[in-house]
Coordinates of all heavy atoms in Angstrom, one line a residue:
G1024 N 0.6 1.0 2.8 CA 0.4 1.5 4.2 C -1.1 1.8 4.4 O -1.4 2.2 5.6
C1025 N -2.0 1.6 3.5 CA -3.4 1.8 3.7 C -4.0 0.8 4.7 O -3.7 -0.4 4.6 CB -4.2 1.8 2.4 SG -4.0 3.2 1.4
M1026 N -4.7 1.3 5.7 CA -5.4 0.5 6.7 C -6.9 0.6 6.5 O -7.5 1.7 6.5 CB -5.0 1.1 8.1 CG -5.4 0.2 9.2 SD -4.4 -1.3 9.4 CE -5.4 -2.4 10.3
I1027 N -7.5 -0.5 6.2 CA -9.0 -0.5 5.8 C -9.7 -1.3 6.8 O -9.5 -2.5 7.0 CB -9.2 -1.1 4.4 CG1 -8.3 -0.3 3.4 CG2 -10.6 -1.0 4.0 CD1 -8.0 -1.0 2.1
Y1028 N -10.6 -0.6 7.6 CA -11.4 -1.3 8.6 C -12.8 -1.5 8.0 O -13.4 -0.6 7.4 CB -11.5 -0.5 9.9 CG -10.2 -0.4 10.6 CD1 -9.4 0.8 10.5 CD2 -9.7 -1.4 11.4 CE1 -8.2 0.9 11.2 CE2 -8.5 -1.3 12.0 CZ -7.7 -0.1 11.9 OH -6.5 0.0 12.6
L1029 N -13.4 -2.7 8.3 CA -14.8 -2.9 7.8 C -15.7 -3.1 9.0 O -15.4 -3.8 10.0 CB -14.8 -4.2 7.0 CG -14.2 -4.0 5.6 CD1 -12.8 -4.4 5.5 CD2 -15.0 -4.7 4.5
A1030 N -16.8 -2.3 9.0 CA -17.8 -2.4 10.0 C -19.1 -2.9 9.4 O -19.3 -3.0 8.2 CB -18.0 -1.0 10.6
G1031 N -20.1 -3.2 10.3 CA -21.4 -3.8 9.8 C -21.3 -5.3 9.6 O -20.2 -5.8 9.3
K1032 N -22.4 -5.9 9.7 CA -22.4 -7.4 9.6 C -22.3 -7.8 8.1 O -23.1 -7.3 7.3 CB -23.7 -8.0 10.2 CG -23.7 -7.8 11.7 CD -25.0 -8.4 12.3 CE -25.0 -8.3 13.8 NZ -26.2 -8.9 14.4
Y1033 N -21.4 -8.7 7.9 CA -21.3 -9.3 6.5 C -21.0 -8.3 5.4 O -21.5 -8.5 4.3 CB -22.5 -10.2 6.2 CG -22.8 -11.2 7.3 CD1 -24.0 -11.1 8.0 CD2 -21.9 -12.1 7.7 CE1 -24.3 -12.0 9.0 CE2 -22.1 -13.0 8.8 CZ -23.4 -12.9 9.4 OH -23.6 -13.8 10.4
T1034 N -20.3 -7.3 5.7 CA -20.0 -6.3 4.7 C -19.2 -6.9 3.6 O -18.3 -7.7 3.8 CB -19.2 -5.1 5.4 OG1 -20.0 -4.5 6.4 CG2 -18.7 -4.1 4.4
T1035 N -19.5 -6.5 2.4 CA -18.9 -7.0 1.2 C -18.4 -5.9 0.3 O -19.1 -4.9 0.1 CB -19.9 -7.9 0.4 OG1 -20.3 -9.0 1.2 CG2 -19.3 -8.4 -0.9
I1036 N -17.2 -6.0 -0.3 CA -16.8 -5.2 -1.4 C -17.0 -5.9 -2.7 O -16.3 -6.9 -2.9 CB -15.3 -4.8 -1.2 CG1 -15.1 -4.1 0.2 CG2 -14.8 -3.9 -2.3 CD1 -13.6 -3.9 0.5
T1037 N -17.9 -5.5 -3.5 CA -18.2 -6.2 -4.8 C -17.6 -5.4 -5.9 O -17.8 -4.2 -6.0 CB -19.8 -6.3 -4.9 OG1 -20.3 -7.0 -3.8 CG2 -20.1 -7.1 -6.2
V1038 N -16.8 -6.1 -6.7 CA -16.1 -5.5 -7.8 C -16.6 -5.9 -9.1 O -16.3 -7.1 -9.6 CB -14.6 -5.8 -7.6 CG1 -13.7 -5.1 -8.7 CG2 -14.1 -5.5 -6.2
F1039 N -17.2 -5.0 -9.8 CA -17.6 -5.2 -11.2 C -16.6 -4.6 -12.2 O -16.6 -4.8 -13.4 CB -19.0 -4.7 -11.5 CG -20.1 -5.4 -10.7 CD1 -20.8 -4.8 -9.7 CD2 -20.4 -6.7 -11.0 CE1 -21.7 -5.5 -9.0 CE2 -21.4 -7.4 -10.3 CZ -22.1 -6.8 -9.3
G1040 N -15.8 -3.7 -11.6 CA -14.7 -3.1 -12.4 C -13.4 -3.7 -12.1 O -13.1 -4.9 -12.4
R1041 N -12.6 -3.0 -11.3 CA -11.2 -3.5 -11.0 C -10.8 -2.9 -9.6 O -11.1 -1.8 -9.3 CB -10.2 -3.1 -12.0 CG -8.8 -3.6 -11.9 CD -8.0 -3.4 -13.2 NE -6.7 -4.0 -13.1 CZ -5.6 -3.3 -12.9 NH1 -5.6 -2.0 -12.8 NH2 -4.4 -4.0 -12.9
I1042 N -10.2 -3.8 -8.8 CA -9.7 -3.3 -7.5 C -8.2 -3.6 -7.5 O -7.7 -4.7 -7.9 CB -10.4 -3.9 -6.3 CG1 -9.9 -3.3 -5.0 CG2 -10.2 -5.5 -6.3 CD1 -10.8 -3.6 -3.8
V1043 N -7.4 -2.7 -7.0 CA -5.9 -2.8 -6.9 C -5.5 -2.5 -5.5 O -5.7 -1.3 -5.1 CB -5.2 -1.9 -8.0 CG1 -3.7 -2.1 -7.8 CG2 -5.6 -2.3 -9.4
M1044 N -5.0 -3.4 -4.8 CA -4.5 -3.2 -3.5 C -3.0 -3.6 -3.5 O -2.7 -4.8 -3.5 CB -5.2 -4.0 -2.4 CG -6.7 -3.5 -2.3 SD -7.5 -4.5 -0.9 CE -9.0 -3.5 -0.8
K1045 N -2.1 -2.6 -3.5 CA -0.7 -2.9 -3.6 C 0.1 -2.2 -2.5 O 0.2 -1.0 -2.5 CB -0.2 -2.4 -5.0 CG -0.5 -3.4 -6.1 CD 0.3 -3.0 -7.4 CE 0.1 -4.1 -8.5 NZ 1.0 -3.8 -9.7
G1046 N 0.6 -3.0 -1.6 CA 1.5 -2.5 -0.6 C 2.9 -2.8 -1.0 O 3.3 -3.1 -2.1
T1047 N 3.8 -2.7 0.0 CA 5.2 -3.0 -0.1 C 5.6 -4.0 1.0 O 4.8 -4.2 1.9 CB 6.1 -1.8 -0.1 OG1 6.0 -1.2 1.2 CG2 5.7 -0.8 -1.2
Q1048 N 6.9 -4.4 1.0 CA 7.3 -5.3 2.0 C 7.3 -4.7 3.4 O 7.0 -5.3 4.4 CB 8.7 -5.8 1.7 CG 9.3 -6.9 2.7 CD 10.6 -7.4 2.3 OE1 11.2 -7.0 1.2 NE2 11.1 -8.3 3.0

């Protein structure tokens, strides 16, 4: 259910560790 909005031009999420995005049906 998380809602993530990105602002700014060419915004990047850079992951050197780990990212987990897990929703449900």
Side-chain angles (χ1 to χ4, degrees):
C1025 282
M1026 190 77 201
I1027 304 155
Y1028 294 102
L1029 287 96
K1032 292 183 178 179
Y1033 310 119
T1034 296
T1035 298
I1036 301 173
T1037 302
V1038 184
F1039 295 111
R1041 186 167 183 256
I1042 188 167
V1043 176
M1044 293 183 168
K1045 281 192 173 184
T1047 64
Q1048 186 173 0

